Amino acid sequence: MSPRKGSDFAGLSTAIVTPFRDGQVDEKRLAEQIDFQIDAGVTCLVPCGTTGESPTLTHDEHERVISLTIQHVAGRVKVMAGTGSNSTAEALRLTRRAASEGADATLQVAPYYNKPTQEGMYQHFSAVAEAVDIPVCVYNIPGRSAKNIEVDTIVRLAELPNITMVKEATGSLDQCTAVLGATNLTVLSGDDSLTLPMMSVGAEGVISVAANLVPSVLLEMVQTAAAGDYTKAAELHHRLYSLCSKMLGLATNPIPVKAAMQMVGRDTGEMRLPMVPLDDADRAILQETLTKFGLESAITGQLQTSGA
């Protein structure tokens, strides 16, 4: 079987958080987090996605975070820049800028709030794909965008040369299966807890939230599944499921993962309104969850990084 379009992005991509300190992007901490991910062996970094709090970034900050990520990565792994918008003109501007900076691909979320028709979805994504020559990953997350990109629309989009991937976050294994059966696109899970089930029907990896915290374990699961050892992969899946379901179920992403990163000493945990920190009761649940997973530094619940 010939490789699917976008198969060079197979594996583990991390939807990296945007660290803040005193209301500003913490560039030093961002560089530290990038190095942590690269040292773990991830395939790709995805700045300015949902986990990167892109809706709260100013236009200048959005471009700066992408530029800093590309510069600091310096070719060591791939960078898929989150440059989607509910405005096609804005998505075009951000995507052209990221391409000029050297991004390897763009993550394009379905236009949120507008609730466009399926023809509007097609016209939006095709406009972006025709404007740049880097691969486009269509990000289907109706829980955030309020509308599903239907399979028939994705089939049409798959005919465009540089639409090569789908980040599948509908929560539907049926939709994942249908896209895989009807197109030659690479499908990447957009839900940590569904990564292994999706890989069992042909998906080739994940764009992960939890990888901010435990990239090595996620990478082992993805690589084990890709090698066909589903017995070992299932063991890792169940271990990760316990972490992800409890952690990510506490509050809207990225609130709990940033709190977890604070507890293990790799982030300030600072959010931007309208996102707010976990309350004390949920922090206690999170601390217990991390400790059970084996992240012993979570016992103190304190920020432990140098320079903090």
Side-chain angles (χ1 to χ4, degrees), residues 110 286 290:
L286 178 59
L290 298 179

Side-chain angles (χ1 to χ4, degrees), residues 160-171:
L160 301 174
N162 62 325
I163 291 187
T164 66
M165 295 168 278
V166 174
K167 180 181 178 183
E168 168 52 50
T170 65

Side-chain angles (χ1 to χ4, degrees), residues 196-307:
L196 185 61
M198 288 174 64
M199 289 188 72
S200 74
V201 297
E204 296 185 53
V206 59
I207 299 178
S208 171
V209 177
N212 281 282
L213 195 63
V214 287
S216 297
V217 183
L218 276 148
L219 183 63
E220 184 181 4
M221 184 190 74
V222 169
Q223 291 179 335
T224 302
D229 185 353
Y230 275 86
T231 299
K232 177 63 175 177
E235 293 174 3
L236 293 163
H237 163 77
H238 286 292
R239 184 179 178 219
L240 285 163
Y241 181 81
S242 179
L243 171 70
C244 294
S245 62
K246 291 178 181 177
M247 176 176 69
L248 299 178
L250 289 172
T252 306
N253 178 45
I255 294 170
V257 74
K258 289 191 88 170
M261 292 173 71
Q262 180 188 42
M263 289 179 179
V264 300
R266 291 197 291 103
D267 197 78
T268 65
E270 187 175 325
M271 310 295 303
R272 274 188 176 171
L273 287 172
M275 309 298 271
V276 295
L278 285 181
D279 61 28
D280 289 344
D282 284 340
R283 285 185 65 87
I285 294 170
L286 178 59
Q287 189 168 309
E288 180 182 6
T289 300
L290 298 179
T291 303
K292 285 183 177 178
F293 189 84
L295 294 167
E296 297 300 332
S297 56
I299 293 173
T300 64
Q302 301 296 317
L303 189 65
Q304 301 170 14
T305 54
S306 61

Side-chain angles (χ1 to χ4, degrees), residues 16-36:
I16 196 166
V17 304
T18 301
F20 299 119
R21 186 181 295 275
D22 301 326
Q24 304 298 315
V25 174
D26 188 342
E27 297 184 2
K28 179 176 180 291
R29 181 59 54 82
L30 177 62
E32 292 171 354
Q33 291 175 353
I34 289 168
D35 288 336
F36 176 79

